[in-house]
Amino acid sequence: MAAFGTVFMPQMTMATFENSGWSKPELVSSDAIQLHPGAHVLHYASTCFEGLKAFRHDNGSINLFRMDSNIKRMQQSSRLLSLPAFDVSLLQKMITDVVKHFSDEAPKPPGSMYIRPTHVGTEAAIGKAASPTSSSMLYVLLSPVGDYFSGDDKTLRLLLEEDGSRCAAHMGMVKSGGNYASALQPILQARESVNADQVLFCPNGDVQETGAANFLLIDGNEIITKALDTSFLHGVTRDSILTIARDMGMTVSERELSVDELLERASKPDSEAALSGTAAVLAPVGTLIHNGKEFPVGNGNSGATTLKLRKALNDIQWGKAEDKHGWLTKI
């Protein structure tokens, strides 16, 4: 497969908000969109998106994973960015229609059809820096993707950053492009200076998230991760992994975690750490870098619990285990 997220289906679904109402969704070409150079999104970053997947099961059926949660989060992001509101049924129809249209293109596991709903402000009004857009565009792109790991399950290196944040604290729960852009320079600097894969943002010693994923610490039978607040993204994969962990009898602690406690717990031989997200599900972390020193997490290798949790979630997504929580939507 090509690099993750670089191949797209030739058509997408689109709806527009103008004159206080939404248009009927249409299937349109996905090779271009038309925007005025003065569009609100290009100047004032009125944009949010989602990422979810559709999976092909052995019986040939196509199943969407936790679509309702992604739509709910996109409604939240749109509201917090003052973008026009939309009904759940609108985006649900747009997602299911385009996935059905290209159902034959959905790869078999471990591949999937990655789904990218996007909402952008389109009003041409460069004088509205302090006012919301009156019009917008909602579209759903599809990208067939292969196995994120491609046989290379290497552990990640994280630089702990205590002086900066991924984004403004009140915007962390918004899945907006600006939050990802603001993390790019710290990530690039970390790669160049200490060969880190990602930056784990820990403002004032508070362990939060990396530039593109939630962070989980596993200490024996306990998973520790930051409690939900406005400062970081409420990951759907994070919630899924924590639910599965509880099902397995693990203790899930959603609470504040300091850098000092993280480093102390990570030094234990059976400790593990991982990043959760739609693309990788759970990516193992092997090294933490802090104040110029490197600290291995556990033995520095992929942890057994991390791999067990990832497999358990994949098995549900791929139809190899019971969907006890009603996460799959068959289309």
Side-chain angles (χ1 to χ4, degrees), residues 55-63 103-104 330-331:
F55 298 91
R56 180 182 297 279
H57 289 184
D58 288 343
N59 62 8
S61 66
I62 306 298
N63 297 264
S103 59
D104 290 344
K330 184 178 177 180
I331 61 171

Side-chain angles (χ1 to χ4, degrees), residues 70-250:
N70 287 98
I71 292 176
K72 182 179 179 181
R73 190 172 64 180
M74 192 162 189
Q75 286 182 309
Q76 173 180 272
S77 294
S78 295
R79 183 181 73 255
L80 294 174
L81 290 169
S82 298
L83 283 162
F86 59 85
D87 290 336
V88 168
S89 58
L90 174 65
L91 186 51
Q92 190 174 62
K93 176 175 173 55
M94 292 175 67
I95 292 171
T96 55
D97 282 357
V98 71
V99 173
K100 281 181 180 178
H101 188 77
F102 290 105
S103 59
D104 290 344
E105 303 295 328
K108 296 179 180 179
S112 60
M113 183 66 81
Y114 186 84
I115 305 163
R116 175 55 63 92
T118 305
H119 192 189
V120 302
T122 56
E123 182 182 3
I126 59 174
K128 299 190 74 172
S131 300
T133 181
S134 65
S135 61
S136 69
M137 176 189 304
L138 182 64
Y139 59 87
V140 181
L141 275 172
L142 297 185
S143 177
V145 296
D147 183 4
Y148 185 84
F149 291 99
S150 300
D152 181 13
D153 206 359
K154 75 178 185 72
T155 57
L156 300 175
R157 294 165 52 84
L158 303 186
L159 174 66
L160 308 188
E161 172 58 70
E162 294 188 70
D163 295 328
S165 300
R166 175 177 179 254
C167 61
H170 67 285
M171 289 293 288
M173 63 195 294
V174 180
K175 195 168 178 66
S176 180
N179 289 351
Y180 292 80
S182 68
L184 285 178
Q185 276 299 306
I187 293 170
L188 293 175
Q189 291 168 7
R191 288 175 183 169
E192 183 177 352
S193 62
V194 294
N195 192 33
D197 296 292
Q198 263 289 354
V199 172
L200 179 57
F201 292 96
C202 312
N204 300 313
D206 177 34
V207 178
Q208 296 186 346
E209 63 181 335
T210 69
N214 292 136
F215 177 79
L216 306 172
L217 174 65
I218 303 171
D219 184 356
N221 196 51
E222 182 182 16
I223 291 187
I224 305 169
T225 189
K226 184 173 174 61
L228 296 179
D229 62 24
T230 63
S231 68
F232 75 108
L233 191 66
H234 302 177
V236 176
T237 303
R238 169 192 178 278
D239 180 73
S240 304
I241 290 294
L242 296 184
T243 299
I244 289 172
R246 292 187 184 98
D247 289 347
M248 291 179 171
M250 296 185 68

Side-chain angles (χ1 to χ4, degrees), residues 253-274:
S253 300
E254 296 183 74
R255 60 172 177 81
E256 300 304 303
L257 174 66
S258 69
V259 168
D260 289 342
E261 183 184 358
L262 169 60
L263 294 177
E264 179 185 349
R265 286 179 177 265
S267 66
K268 298 179 181 180
D270 61 346
S271 284
E272 304 174 31

